């Protein structure tokens, strides 16, 4: 199979590249160039029928990913499919299925069938589930088998935690919070129990490349040592893993496999520009996919806001795909409403960053909103809002006693409405 990266290097514009160019309102040749250079990825497994072309890269609109997935304690596939519907309606661009437990192949098939967006997975979760959660029983062949099955089912991108090495474990043990990545913790324990063996994802990297190239699966290099608190950000463990990821980026590109790199985590706001710049330098400008960063550790219950603050800064400085955080982060499995709130927060961050970095056309929507507000055109405002359904609902609830009057809202009332006064002023001056 010819992957998107191989086709781009050959100067061949694929249907997916052309569709992504239309969605971005860009010249198709620019999409081809960004894919060819590795500065952008276009996850599109041919086995995922009808998947929407979605480019993630610095040259394009900042994208948002929503994580969903079945938990063995408090969920069901039906509930997670409802969350998928909510994420789609809220405007997510990518989705990851982080399901754990039983019947994962069937769950994944149902997710793929219902999801028109690029869908990602974390194979190590299922590999461990098949061993009954017993890390000691997990084999290297188990991991490769699961990677191959996910690829053949149609998964568009996979998180592979191949940069976490045995030499990093003592560094992680000195941290305040240790390893907070679920995948990273599984592999760290496996290496501790494996009698001196190295991370199996790394030692079998060539086989993983064979699988990904055969199905055009985009690799998302997992940050198994991402900092889980401000105190651990920027330590030797995090940056030691990042150096390995940089080498793996080059190995992916050498094989014609698209690759992006996952990033932190919890990072103080003043450190985010340095973190992004370091990733871009070490990883040869590979697309940066960030979880937050969360700029404080004490926003429990409001971590989607802490995430949005950090995401805006990260996207201003080089990140191109934002993984949402919901209000339930650090507390439990998110609800359907949490999913919507998480997507909304990250979409605001993504859009604010695109406007701030001067992305062509990014401010068009804001200018249209200003025009609608000046005209007290409520329908026009709902149409331009990032979440028009929520805006409409709040407007109806806040103004239910207005008797149909549309020339003000309940915040100031008719006589104190600054917009009405400004319109009258313009009429007098003109």
């Amino acid at each position: 199979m010819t992957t998107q990266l191989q086709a781009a290097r050959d100067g061949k514009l694929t249907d997916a590249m052309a569709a992504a160019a239309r969605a971005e309102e860009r010249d198709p040749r620019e999409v081809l160039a960004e894919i060819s250079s590795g500065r952008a990825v276009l996850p599109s497994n041919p086995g995922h029928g009808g998947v929407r072309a979605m480019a993630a890269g610095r040259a394009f609109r900042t994208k948002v990913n929503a994580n969903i997935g079945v938990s063995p304690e408090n969920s069901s596939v039906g509930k997670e499919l409802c969350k998928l519907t909510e994420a789609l309606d809220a405007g997510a661009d990518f989705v990851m299925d982080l399901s754990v437990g039983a019947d994962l192949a069937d769950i994944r098939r149902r997710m793929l069938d219902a999801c028109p967006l690029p869908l990602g997975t974390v194979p190590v979760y299922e590999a461990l589930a098949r061993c009954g959660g017993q890390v000691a029983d997990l084999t290297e062949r188990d991991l490769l088998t699961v990677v191959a099955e996910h690829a053949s089912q149609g998964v568009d991108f996979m998180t592979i935690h191949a940069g976490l090495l045995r030499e990093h474990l003592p560094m992680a043990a000195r941290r305040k919070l240790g390893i907070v990545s679920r995948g990273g913790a599984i592999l760290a324990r496996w290496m501790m129990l494996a009698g001196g063996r190295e991370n199996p994802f790394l030692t079998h990297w060539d086989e993983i490349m064979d699988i990904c190239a055969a199905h055009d699966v985009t690799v998302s290099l997992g940050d198994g040592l991402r900092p889980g608190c401000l105190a651990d950000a920027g330590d030797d463990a995090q940056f030691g893993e990042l150096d390995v990821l940089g080498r793996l980026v080059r190995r992916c590109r050498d094989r014609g496999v698209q690759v992006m790199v996952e990033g932190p985590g919890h990072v103080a706001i003043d450190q985010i520009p340095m973190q992004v710049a370091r990733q871009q330098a070490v990883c040869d400008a590979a697309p940066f996919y960030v979880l937050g960063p969360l700029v404080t550790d004490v926003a429990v219950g409001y971590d989607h806001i802490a995430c949005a603050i950090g995401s805006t800064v990260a996207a201003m400085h080089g990140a191109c795909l934002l993984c949402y955080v919901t209000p339930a982060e650090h507390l439990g499995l998110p609800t359907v409403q949490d999913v919507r709130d998480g997507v909304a927060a990250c979409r605001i961050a993504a859009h604010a960053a695109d406007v701030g970095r001067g992305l062509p056309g990014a401010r068009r929507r804001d200018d249209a909103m200003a025009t609608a507000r000046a005209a007290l055109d409520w329908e026009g405002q709902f149409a331009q809002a990032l979440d028009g359904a929520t805006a409409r609902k709040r407007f109806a609830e806040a103004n239910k006693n207005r008797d149909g009057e549309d020339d003000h809202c309940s915040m100031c009332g008719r006589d104190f409405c600054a917009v009405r006064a400004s319109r009258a002023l313009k009429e007098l001056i003109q």
Side-chain angles (χ1 to χ4, degrees), residues 144-399:
L144 293 173
T145 296
V146 172
V147 169
E149 291 179 3
H150 285 212
S152 63
Q153 265 196 302
V155 168
D156 300 291
F157 64 102
M158 296 183 202
T159 294
I160 307 290
H161 299 86
L164 168 60
L165 308 184
R166 287 183 57 83
E167 67 186 68
H168 300 144
L169 301 185
M171 306 175 196
R174 293 193 292 269
R175 287 175 155 185
K176 185 178 287 291
L177 261 177
I179 299 174
V180 298
S181 159
R182 182 161 55 179
I186 292 169
L187 290 164
R189 181 156 178 76
W190 187 91
M191 286 185 280
M192 289 166 52
L193 298 173
R197 281 181 287 174
E198 188 53 272
N199 184 331
F201 280 137
L202 182 64
T203 57
H204 291 274
W205 192 249
D206 287 338
E207 294 171 74
I208 292 171
M209 291 292 92
D210 289 341
I211 294 168
C212 293
H215 298 274
D216 200 5
V217 173
T218 298
V219 170
S220 185
L221 290 170
D223 53 340
L225 292 174
R226 68 175 178 266
C229 63
L230 300 187
D232 294 338
D235 67 354
D236 291 341
Q238 181 195 351
F239 289 148
E241 180 186 37
L242 180 63
D243 289 340
V244 180
L245 299 185
R247 295 194 290 272
L248 291 174
V249 165
R250 291 181 278 280
R251 290 179 67 178
C252 287
R253 290 173 175 172
D254 288 344
R255 287 298 308 276
V257 172
Q258 297 186 93
V259 59
M260 56 187 175
V261 179
E262 298 182 14
H266 289 237
V267 178
I269 194 168
D270 62 305
Q271 296 180 28
I272 294 174
M274 175 274 292
Q275 290 252 355
V276 177
R278 185 162 181 160
Q279 182 275 342
Q280 292 286 273
V282 170
C283 298
D284 294 337
F288 200 16
Y289 171 25
V290 295
L291 179 69
L294 278 75
V295 294
T296 178
D297 298 336
V298 296
V300 183
Y302 300 91
D303 275 324
H304 59 312
I305 298 175
C307 169
I309 295 169
S311 291
T312 305
V313 179
M316 277 287 295
H317 288 87
C320 62
L321 176 58
L322 311 178
C323 186
Y324 85 168
V325 167
T326 77
E329 185 77 7
H330 301 112
L331 299 173
L333 196 70
T335 65
V336 171
Q337 185 60 50
D338 289 334
V339 167
R340 188 174 197 92
D341 291 345
V343 172
C346 267
R347 286 191 70 205
I348 293 167
H351 181 71
D354 289 346
V355 171
R357 64 193 180 97
L359 191 73
R363 214 187 73 181
R364 186 186 310 154
R365 195 168 189 166
D366 299 81
D367 292 343
M369 175 66 83
T371 298
R373 282 179 172 160
L376 290 168
D377 175 6
W378 303 105
E379 288 300 323
Q381 293 179 57
F382 303 150
Q384 297 304 325
L386 289 175
D387 186 351
T390 296
R392 184 189 298 277
K393 179 181 178 182
R394 288 188 177 277
F395 178 80
E397 291 174 350
N399 298 281

